Amino acid sequence: MHGSVVDLHLHSTASDGLLTPSGLVKVVHDAGVEMMALTDHDTVDGLTEAQRRANEKGMVFINGVEVSVTWQGKTLHVVGLNINPEHPSLRNGLADNRQRRMERAGRIARKLEKAGIPGALQGAKEHAGDKVIARPHFARFLVDTGVVKDPQEAFKRYLTRNKPAYVATQWAELEDAVGWIRDAGGVAVLAHAIRYKLTGAWMRRVLAAFKEAGGQGIEVVCGSYTATEINTSVGYALRYDLLGSVGSDFHGPSPMGRGPGRFPVLPEGITPVWNVFAF
Ligand code: AMP
Ligand code: MN
Ligand code: MN
Ligand code: MN
């Protein structure tokens, strides 16, 4: 596996990552990455600290965010890159999504309680701190209490669709999320499209709607993609004339996931999304 010197999808403790923004930048830099974006779920909280550290290390730092979206009942993730994190419509939109996260967290906890597991809201909040609350915080609580042996098992048994503590959530509209990102001067990138497990027909509908909304890029290489999945994504980028992004979706050291920059470089023939960033 060749390392990539660009990694535009990374998480910190501002959302569901395990490393602080500073800790993350150190690990990313040590991995040989020269250009990074911090893309926490529905928050820009970690950007100032990460940017400062990245600049100290001589890295190129891109302000990013990963926005949760609901489109036709399906949850999609849209990464905004090179955003102005101060832009009011983006800030308001992200605050709305965070409010939905808080409401969902209460409902997840009540469902866990019904399943015989009390104390989940408090327990998840201990992991989330005063930052964005996400399902991995519940997964870590379930590991703490010994209900499951690892976070993957928590997702598999409790937290995913059709499981006892799953809560369907109406996130931001696709058109709105792409609009905020563009208002904030950023580029909207469809994250990890293969992970949605959509049929070909649904994937084409998503891509058409994303384009129509003003989306300009797609993650062609993700940390966990196989060679076949990268090929499929190259096809989407070419067919829908989208810029290509690359990112690990690193959430912190884990026996499962790959580290920052641990993925193949962007295939030839795809225009890199970073070509359009103004530095
Ligand atoms: P949320 O946005 O709160 O619904 O949480 C989504 C996050 O949960 C993703 O960004 C991943 O970090 C994590 N996640 C989702 N599905 C799984 C899974 N099956 N196993 C482990 N982590 C997962
Ligand atoms: Mn996550
Ligand atoms: Mn995601
Ligand atoms: Mn992510």
Side-chain angles (χ1 to χ4, degrees):
M1 175 75 50
H2 300 289
S4 169
V5 296
V6 181
D7 193 333
L8 300 178
H9 191 148
L10 296 157
H11 292 271
S12 77
T13 48
S15 66
D16 57 353
L18 291 165
L19 303 174
T20 62
S22 298
L24 175 72
V25 170
K26 182 182 185 318
V27 168
V28 173
H29 180 254
D30 288 351
V33 171
E34 295 166 11
M35 180 192 290
M36 68 173 283
L38 178 61
T39 55
D40 275 308
H41 298 286
D42 300 315
T43 184
V44 294
D45 247 24
L47 296 178
T48 307
E49 178 184 328
Q51 169 131 54
R52 178 162 23 87
R53 290 306 174 112
N55 290 347
E56 281 167 17
K57 294 189 181 293
M59 301 166 79
V60 177
F61 184 83
I62 306 297
N63 283 314
V65 66
E66 181 172 14
V67 186
S68 312
V69 158
T70 302
W71 186 79
Q72 307 266 314
K74 298 174 192 313
T75 300
L76 308 174
H77 285 176
V78 176
V79 166
L81 294 175
N82 208 31
I83 50 165
N84 168 9
E86 306 300 332
H87 196 282
S89 70
L90 177 65
R91 289 193 85 96
N92 291 337
L94 297 179
D96 266 2
N97 257 4
R98 291 197 298 272
Q99 182 59 35
R100 296 170 209 246
R101 284 183 171 279
M102 285 309 303
E103 288 160 13
R104 180 187 64 161
R107 293 178 62 198
I108 292 175
R110 285 195 288 281
K111 287 196 161 195
L112 284 171
E113 183 142 19
K114 279 196 187 133
I117 305 161
L121 187 58
Q122 178 61 28
K125 279 183 172 170
E126 272 162 30
H127 288 279
D130 61 352
K131 308 297 188 193
V132 164
I133 191 156
R135 281 183 294 166
H137 300 122
F138 284 94
R140 290 170 206 156
F141 159 77
L142 290 168
V143 174
D144 291 346
T145 53
V147 170
V148 295
K149 66 177 187 326
D150 57 37
Q152 281 67 38
E153 190 189 343
F155 274 90
K156 212 170 145 199
R157 282 180 49 199
Y158 292 98
L159 299 171
T160 48
R161 198 178 280 277
N162 301 322
K163 298 300 156 66
Y166 180 75
V167 174
T169 308
Q170 182 70 38
W171 303 110
E173 298 289 335
L174 176 65
E175 295 74 14
D176 293 343
V178 172
W180 310 328
I181 290 166
R182 293 187 59 129
D183 287 350
V187 177
V189 172
L190 187 66
H192 47 62
I194 310 278
R195 291 281 94 82
Y196 306 134
K197 299 197 171 70
L198 300 174
T199 60
W202 271 106
M203 196 63 236
R204 289 190 289 278
R205 282 181 210 128
V206 164
L207 287 161
F210 179 68
K211 257 311 253 202
E212 176 72 24
Q216 293 173 276
I218 185 167
E219 287 182 346
V220 169
V221 184
C222 297
S224 54
Y225 275 10
T226 63
T228 308
E229 291 171 335
I230 292 173
N231 276 335
T232 304
S233 306
V234 164
Y236 296 150
L238 294 176
R239 179 161 175 184
Y240 289 87
D241 190 24
L242 293 163
L243 302 163
S245 189
V246 302
S248 58
D249 206 2
F250 178 70
H251 284 71
S254 130
M256 316 264 303
R258 296 217 191 108
R262 296 296 98 190
F263 47 81
V265 299
L266 191 66
E268 295 276 324
I270 301 294
T271 309
V273 68
W274 52 94
N275 278 11
V276 305
F277 299 160
F279 295 115

